[in-house]
């Protein structure tokens, strides 16, 4: 399948709403936590695939600001798993020139997760081949509100004039402006919604929804999604 990919027209920045762990667990007669555990293997496979394909940016939705509504037990298990995954994978990622970043209200994370986040940032700071952006305690509206607050502070301080606020100026106050807009947004497990993910950045993203549940998602599915992306005509409101 891979040879059909047009390597000149790869999406620069891919976002993935990693959904369906709970349904996968239910289908396999397992507990929800085991679904999340199985999902970790997909994260690993997808990062490796992006590295091999030469994708520059990958944004992964790992925990939304709304996910706190789940049971305490599930939330704790999710953060335990996240910490475990970060510690287990970081060396290999670091050695493969992958830079790991995080977006979201990170000061709201449990203390251990915050430490692991700091370590991952530090350990991969100089890496260049692929940047992975993990959305943790992330909400798209919160991100926009936080950018607005930053702009308000600058205006109040007199370092920014209201007439200077443009899309570009605004976008540079988002959590990780270096990643830029999403070219391709993938959602697994069939749900047709964006669930508060990167609302600013999906403005002209091509959306691919696959029925595959996240724990079953592998490189072949990523390649399929990129092929679908490459078959689309991006118009940006104009006429091709
Ligand atoms: C995605 O799987 C993981 C997170 C949201 C953290 P879900 O846990 O949402 O799985 P479903 O949607 O219940 O199948
Ligand atoms: C979106 O999935 C959040 C993540 C993948 C981290 P959800 O399962 O939380 O989304 P909804 O509740 O179905 O919209
Ligand atoms: Mg879900």
């Amino acid at each position: 399948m891979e040879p059909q990919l047009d390597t000149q027209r790869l999406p620069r920045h891919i976002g993935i709403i990693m959904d369906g762990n709970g349904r996968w667990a239910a289908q396999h007669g397992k507990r929800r936590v085991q679904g999340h555990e199985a999902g970790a293997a997909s994260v690993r496979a997808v990062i490796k695939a992006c590295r091999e394909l030469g994708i520059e940016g990958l944004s992964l939705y790992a925990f939304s600001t709304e996910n706190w509504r789940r049971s305490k037990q599930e939330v704790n298990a999710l953060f335990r798993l996240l910490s475990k995954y970060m510690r287990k994978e970081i060396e290999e990622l670091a050695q493969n020139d992958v830079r790991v970043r995080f977006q979201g209200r990170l000061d709201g994370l449990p203390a251990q997760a915050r430490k692991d986040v700091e370590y991952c940032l530090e350990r991969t700071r100089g890496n260049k081949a692929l940047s992975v952006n993990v959305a943790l305690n992330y909400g798209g509206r919160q991100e926009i509100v936080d950018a607005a607050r930053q702009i308000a502070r600058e205006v109040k301080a007199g370092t920014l004039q209201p007439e200077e606020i443009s899309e570009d100026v605004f976008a540079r106050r988002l959590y990780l402006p270096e990643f830029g807009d999403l070219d391709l947004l993938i959602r697994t497990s069939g749900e047709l919604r964006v669930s508060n993910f990167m609302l600013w950045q999906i403005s002209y993203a091509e959306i691919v929804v696959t029925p595959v549940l996240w724990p079953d998602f592998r490189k072949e599915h990523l390649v399929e999604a990129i092929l679908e992306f490459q078959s689309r005509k991006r118009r940006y409101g104009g006429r091709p």
Side-chain angles (χ1 to χ4, degrees):
M1 184 117 86
E2 223 179 297
Q4 299 171 28
L5 275 185
D6 179 351
T7 53
Q8 300 304 306
R9 285 175 53 241
L10 290 171
R12 205 189 53 77
H13 184 194
I14 299 176
I16 307 183
I17 302 175
M18 310 184 289
D19 197 17
N21 296 351
R23 276 160 281 179
W24 183 92
Q27 282 179 13
H28 290 77
K30 298 182 184 210
R31 288 172 293 120
R32 290 186 62 82
V33 181
Q34 293 175 291
H36 298 314
E37 240 160 35
S42 305
V43 174
R44 186 186 159 83
V46 164
I47 293 176
K48 185 163 177 277
C50 282
R51 181 73 182 78
E52 288 164 359
L53 295 169
I55 303 295
E56 284 174 46
L58 173 67
S59 290
L60 299 173
Y61 204 5
F63 192 89
S64 75
T65 44
E66 289 72 33
N67 286 147
W68 295 106
R69 292 177 186 154
R70 298 185 180 199
S71 74
K72 202 167 181 275
Q73 186 198 357
E74 183 173 354
V75 170
N76 289 344
L78 270 168
F79 282 109
R80 244 194 338 272
L81 266 171
L82 266 158
S83 283
K84 184 174 147 197
Y85 179 85
M86 286 192 269
R87 274 174 268 154
K88 185 161 153 277
E89 300 289 331
I90 196 62
E91 275 315 308
E92 192 178 335
L93 292 171
Q95 275 156 31
N96 281 304
D97 203 16
V98 176
R99 183 168 183 190
V100 183
R101 314 282 302 271
F102 297 87
Q103 66 174 356
R105 291 189 174 164
L106 302 179
D107 46 10
L109 296 179
Q112 185 58 52
R114 222 158 49 222
K115 277 187 209 150
D116 294 319
V117 159
E118 280 308 319
Y119 182 74
C120 290
L121 284 174
E122 199 45 58
R123 183 67 187 85
T124 63
R125 197 176 291 282
N127 288 354
K128 296 214 156 54
L130 165 68
S131 289
V132 176
N133 166 16
V134 184
L136 268 186
N137 194 19
Y138 174 87
R141 285 191 171 178
Q142 288 84 347
E143 178 178 31
I144 291 169
V145 167
D146 285 350
R149 280 189 190 159
Q150 173 59 27
I151 285 174
R153 279 192 290 268
E154 291 175 44
V155 171
K156 192 174 171 200
T159 55
L160 184 70
Q161 298 308 309
E163 348 4 275
E164 289 173 332
I165 302 169
S166 61
E167 288 186 18
D168 202 43
V169 163
F170 197 92
R172 272 188 267 132
R173 271 84 179 162
L174 296 170
Y175 292 141
L176 292 175
E178 304 89 325
F179 279 80
D181 286 343
L182 279 171
D183 297 303
L184 169 60
L185 173 66
I186 300 170
R187 182 163 186 150
T188 59
S189 83
E191 229 70 73
L192 299 175
R193 54 175 171 260
V194 292
S195 302
N196 207 14
F197 187 54
M198 300 185 81
L199 299 179
W200 178 280
Q201 298 90 337
I202 62 174
S203 175
Y204 269 99
E206 293 297 330
I207 301 176
V208 172
V209 175
T210 166
V212 175
L213 304 175
W214 179 248
D216 292 325
F217 195 88
R218 288 295 179 272
K219 183 179 188 179
E220 65 199 273
H221 306 107
L222 179 71
V223 170
E224 259 171 47
I226 297 175
L227 283 169
E228 169 71 28
F229 168 85
Q230 292 186 334
S231 76
R232 307 262 180 96
K233 281 200 170 56
R234 300 184 84 185
R235 301 189 185 193
Y236 300 99
R239 299 296 299 162

